[in-house]
Amino acid sequence: MALASRLVKCSATKSNSAVFGNAARQAGMATFAGSKLTIEKTKNPKPKPASKSLLFGRNFTDHMFEVDWSKSEGWTSPRITPYHKLEIDPAASCLHYALECFEGMKAYKDDNNQIRMFRPMKNMDRLHKSCLRICLPDFDKNDFMECIKELVKVDHDWIPQDRGYSLYLRPTAISTTPFLGVQPPSEAKLFCILSPVGPYYPEGFKPIKLYADNKNVRAWPGGTGDSKLGANYAGTILPAVEAAKKGYSQVMWLFGEQNWVTEVGTMNQFFFWKRPDGKKELITAPLTDGTILHGVTRDSVLDLCRGWGEFEVTERPYTMHEVTAAIKENRLLEAFGAGTAAIVAPVEGIHFQGQDYKIPLDPENPSAGAGKLAQRLAQTIMDIQYGKQEHPWSVLVQ
């Protein structure tokens, strides 16, 4: 697609998004108030699984948060209830047109048994943006955050204590409008469930191999790749399955005839290399055209590295051909994905156009399973998450 054409399409999409956002704000002007939150505790608490047996997204706590909205009545009073199945009309438009978005965030316990969350308002900002992008109703981000904190406090004994363990939070918004027409929702539900999870790497870093895919497309300029919509993920499953059959852990999503690097799996992708002029540089794709998710871990990696001031930190479009050139010229130092689940996922190899390329890890310690920068970032972010390092990103839940 010609650049001028891409810019026109992006401009049109941004304009439509603004219109949809305004419509959502007008329809849902009356937000729910955290001060009106009610709590009903379960009379039948579940047995808690042993920490060592935890698998991602398999176990759920005793309670959940929910609040409903309609165009005619606005928001109901928010409530924390025992965990239960949702009752939903088969015609609900979330089931037919993917009017659904969500977040992924975590709560931790520090050495003093205090509950901490990591940059939670970043997740609220992104959920709010995602809702407006698909015409779901507006809400007060601070009120929703306070309700989530109350939910976490109710189920605080589900938070595993050890480092690497946490309570995964899944705030979600769906259209419950029972109508088969394609239009903005007139009814919706906002809810949050909790799931205790173990460490992504229970036995230390395990580097991954990527399949660079220039056939399938995860997101495109002017699309919804910068919002956390369920619709963005469904189409990635089959390519991931096909890559796994070939022996690769994740798909690296390339875009366009130039093979622009976008994301890897469900993470933001980073490369740390020496430029042709000899300067060290950490590079990732920019947040300019709707193809890249505004990752909280991505933002944290960029902020930390810029604060250290030891090398260039760059957000710009770059191609897979730049990556292979850096590998062939021995300029690539390391590569990793970044996201909530893993923090960083070291990359040890990439398959591209019929060739496997080996990615360096830590030449001084091959058993580390990750490059020095990835190790440092993971350690620093975990220290903040668990309160080992005082930092404004770590928010106490009191």
Side-chain angles (χ1 to χ4, degrees):
M1 181 186 296
L3 179 59
S5 176
R6 281 179 58 181
L7 289 175
V8 169
K9 287 183 178 291
C10 288
S11 176
T13 302
K14 288 177 181 177
S15 176
N16 288 340
S17 180
V19 170
F20 294 154
N22 289 335
R25 287 190 182 94
Q26 290 166 8
M29 187 63 73
T31 187
F32 59 90
S35 60
K36 294 183 178 180
L37 177 69
T38 61
I39 300 175
E40 177 192 351
K41 292 192 176 182
T42 183
K43 296 178 182 178
N44 300 294
K46 305 173 188 177
K48 295 178 179 61
S51 293
K52 299 297 183 183
S53 70
L54 290 173
L55 298 173
F56 179 82
R58 298 289 187 182
N59 302 100
F60 301 96
T61 66
D62 287 319
H63 300 89
M64 62 185 288
F65 167 87
E66 59 185 327
V67 60
D68 296 294
W69 173 89
S70 69
K71 186 175 181 179
S72 59
E73 302 293 332
W75 290 100
T76 62
S77 294
R79 56 202 182 275
I80 291 172
T81 67
Y83 187 96
H84 63 89
K85 295 181 179 180
L86 298 180
E87 183 174 318
I88 189 169
D89 195 292
S93 55
C94 66
L95 303 177
H96 301 272
Y97 307 119
L99 288 171
E100 179 270 350
C101 58
F102 66 96
E103 272 304 318
M105 50 201 297
K106 290 182 177 181
Y108 313 82
K109 278 191 177 175
D110 62 21
D111 290 342
N112 296 317
N113 211 35
Q114 298 178 110
I115 303 170
R116 293 178 177 269
M117 298 178 73
F118 183 74
R119 310 189 77 179
M121 289 310 298
K122 286 283 187 181
N123 296 94
M124 290 296 99
D125 290 341
R126 190 169 63 186
L127 180 64
H128 186 260
K129 174 181 178 294
S130 298
C131 282
L132 298 186
R133 179 63 180 85
I134 55 175
C135 297
L136 285 166
D138 199 0
F139 61 90
D140 185 280
K141 294 176 284 187
N142 290 301
D143 273 334
F144 188 28
M145 189 67 254
E146 290 308 308
C147 290
I148 289 177
K149 288 180 179 178
E150 290 302 317
L151 176 62
V152 170
K153 287 193 285 186
V154 168
D155 277 341
H156 69 91
D157 54 348
W158 281 83
I159 307 176
Q161 182 76 44
D162 296 332
R163 186 179 176 93
Y165 292 84
S166 58
L167 188 66
Y168 183 83
L169 287 59
R170 175 54 66 89
T172 306
I174 61 173
S175 167
T176 54
T177 308
F179 178 57
L180 296 182
V182 181
Q183 67 174 30
S186 59
E187 298 177 23
K189 178 185 284 288
L190 191 60
F191 67 92
C192 183
I193 56 177
L194 312 177
S195 177
V197 295
Y200 196 84
Y201 300 110
E203 298 176 1
F205 285 111
K206 186 177 180 181
I208 59 177
K209 294 181 179 180
L210 307 180
Y211 183 85
D213 190 337
N214 58 3
K215 173 186 174 184
N216 297 288
V217 179
R218 189 200 77 88
W220 49 91
T224 60
D226 58 350
S227 298
K228 203 166 179 67
L229 312 183
N232 293 341
Y233 293 79
T236 69
I237 296 173
L238 180 58
V241 169
E242 292 174 341
K245 289 178 180 177
K246 298 172 183 176
Y248 301 97
S249 308
Q250 301 274 1
V251 173
M252 176 182 286
W253 305 102
L254 305 180
F255 180 79
E257 295 179 358
Q258 297 89 349
N259 290 311
W260 300 108
V261 177
T262 62
E263 296 191 351
V264 53
T266 60
M267 298 179 287
N268 297 114
Q269 176 63 40
F270 289 84
F271 286 96
F272 186 43
W273 58 27
K274 289 182 180 178
R275 298 191 311 218
D277 64 7
K279 292 183 178 179
K280 290 182 179 180
E281 177 183 57
L282 180 69
I283 188 168
T284 194
L287 306 175
T288 53
D289 66 357
T291 60
I292 305 298
L293 186 67
H294 297 220
V296 178
T297 309
R298 173 191 184 278
D299 187 67
S300 304
V301 166
L302 293 172
D303 284 354
L304 286 171
C305 290
R306 284 175 175 139
W308 293 336
E310 299 169 10
F311 44 80
E312 296 286 332
V313 179
T314 303
E315 298 173 75
R316 70 163 175 85
Y318 64 102
T319 68
M320 189 61 202
H321 303 292
E322 291 181 73
V323 174
T324 56
I327 295 171
K328 292 174 182 177
E329 296 165 11
N330 294 317
R331 293 187 288 105
L332 186 58
L333 303 174
E334 60 181 281
F336 55 87
T340 299
I343 303 179
V344 294
V347 176
E348 65 175 352
I350 302 175
H351 179 91
F352 177 57
Q353 294 184 335
Q355 184 172 346
D356 286 310
Y357 294 89
K358 187 175 177 59
I359 308 295
L361 294 170
D362 184 350
E364 296 179 9
N365 183 12
S367 64
K372 288 185 176 180
L373 179 58
Q375 294 178 58
R376 182 181 179 187
L377 286 164
Q379 182 71 33
T380 302
I381 291 174
M382 288 186 73
D383 282 349
I384 295 170
Q385 289 171 338
Y386 290 90
K388 294 282 189 182
Q389 177 180 330
E390 286 299 323
H391 199 286
W393 290 349
S394 182
V395 178
L396 280 171
V397 178
Q398 298 175 318

